[in-house]
Amino acid sequence: MKIRKLIAASLFACVAAGVADAQERPTHLKIGTSLTQMPWGFYDEDQKPTGVDVALCGAIAQQIGATAEFISLDFKGLIPALQAGRFDMVCAAMYITPEREKTIAMVPYIKASQTVVTKKTSTIEGLDGLCGHSVSVLQGSGSLKVLQQTSATCEAGGKPAVTIQAFDTQPVAIRALENDSVDGFIATDALISFYMTKNDSLKKVATGISPNLLGIGFQTENASLAKLVAESLATMKANGSYDAILKKWGIESAALDAK
């Protein structure tokens, strides 16, 4: 219920703001993303951008009547680059948080939660089992915040803190677990599930953590584009193209209206 209310409030705010800030439809959109996050965004064998975010935001641009150009940066640099005007919007599996909404506008487009994975030989169980262990994570991500909160809870309960190792890209963070440099790795469930299809030496030890919405980001003064994107998402949900994209990537359960 909380997520549904947040979806409605976010969409209403974007549409209402856009009415007062109308502009001509763009014909070309520069979209900031981080092409190091399977299945959200990555390069295919031909070095072309692909993934959930590329497919969804590319389709949104097409629905608006614009071409899409994806610009890849490290995740932590996306919001500063958006604010500097390097691109028109950010589409990169980014959690909607009160802190982010103080600096950018966000339109919800997918539901997400966090998952912790370890080697199958690990004895770690549950989120509280991370106390005293090392865990890798993407720098600047919602997963990092979850890990910081978990570590604080460990210490408040008289247990050792979590040793957090934050990396600039997901592949490097994952590799730290593969190389036994850390005991665990945390990311969105979709990313973990996709990655585990390629590596059978891992197991999930905690899932469904911190369920929230992922949002497409915009400069706060660009309410008209946020409105167009919200309207395009609504159209795509009505005509089935939104659900078709999620189904292709095996994350139907992440749809905004999925139960």
Side-chain angles (χ1 to χ4, degrees):
M1 182 62 69
K2 182 179 178 182
I3 286 182
R4 288 183 180 178
K5 288 181 178 178
L6 181 55
I7 293 171
S10 298
L11 291 176
F12 176 80
C14 289
V15 172
V19 170
D21 187 27
Q23 67 177 26
E24 292 184 2
R25 285 176 175 261
T27 58
H28 182 73
L29 288 173
K30 293 183 178 180
I31 303 173
T33 191
S34 184
L35 296 174
T36 58
Q37 302 189 81
M38 294 182 179
W40 300 110
F42 57 101
Y43 290 105
D44 64 16
E45 294 178 354
D46 297 320
Q47 292 302 298
K48 294 181 179 179
T50 189
V52 179
D53 285 331
V54 173
L56 265 179
C57 286
I60 288 170
Q62 185 176 23
Q63 181 67 40
I64 290 172
T67 55
E69 175 187 354
F70 290 91
I71 301 171
S72 182
L73 294 180
D74 286 346
F75 187 86
K76 65 181 180 181
L78 288 172
I79 289 179
L82 174 67
Q83 293 173 311
R86 184 168 175 182
F87 27 73
D88 303 299
M89 56 194 251
V90 169
C91 189
M94 185 173 287
Y95 260 43
I96 296 177
T97 66
E99 293 79 11
R100 285 180 177 143
E101 289 189 303
K102 290 177 182 178
T103 58
I104 62 173
M106 302 192 81
V107 171
Y109 71 114
I110 281 181
K111 294 189 301 185
S113 60
Q114 305 293 318
T115 290
V116 177
V117 67
T118 67
K119 291 286 187 69
K120 285 183 176 178
T121 53
S122 173
T123 58
I124 294 174
E125 293 183 7
L127 195 60
D128 56 357
L130 298 180
C131 300
H133 290 279
S134 56
V135 183
S136 59
V137 65
L138 178 66
Q139 185 70 265
S141 66
S143 303
L144 175 59
K145 186 173 182 179
V146 169
L147 209 52
Q148 291 168 333
Q149 292 171 339
T150 300
S151 184
T153 299
C154 290
E155 292 186 287
K159 298 179 180 180
V162 179
T163 300
I164 300 172
Q165 294 194 26
F167 296 92
D168 288 338
T169 67
Q170 294 284 21
V172 177
I174 293 169
R175 198 150 50 241
L177 176 59
E178 291 179 327
N179 296 338
D180 295 317
S181 298
V182 295
D183 303 314
F185 167 66
I186 183 171
T188 59
D189 185 65
L191 186 149
I192 294 288
S193 296
F194 185 86
Y195 179 69
M196 288 181 69
T197 64
K198 303 176 181 298
N199 188 324
D200 62 1
S201 69
L202 307 178
K203 65 177 180 179
K204 295 179 181 180
V205 298
T207 61
I209 306 163
S210 188
N212 205 337
L213 296 171
L214 302 183
I216 300 168
F218 309 85
Q219 291 180 321
T220 53
E221 60 269 28
N222 201 357
S224 56
L225 179 57
K227 172 181 178 289
L228 282 174
V229 167
E231 290 175 340
S232 297
L233 272 170
T235 298
M236 289 170 61
K237 286 195 66 61
N239 65 25
S241 57
Y242 170 87
D243 291 321
I245 290 172
L246 298 194
K247 184 176 181 179
K248 175 184 176 180
W249 290 97
I251 59 169
E252 302 97 312
S253 61
L256 289 178
D257 58 357
K259 296 181 180 179

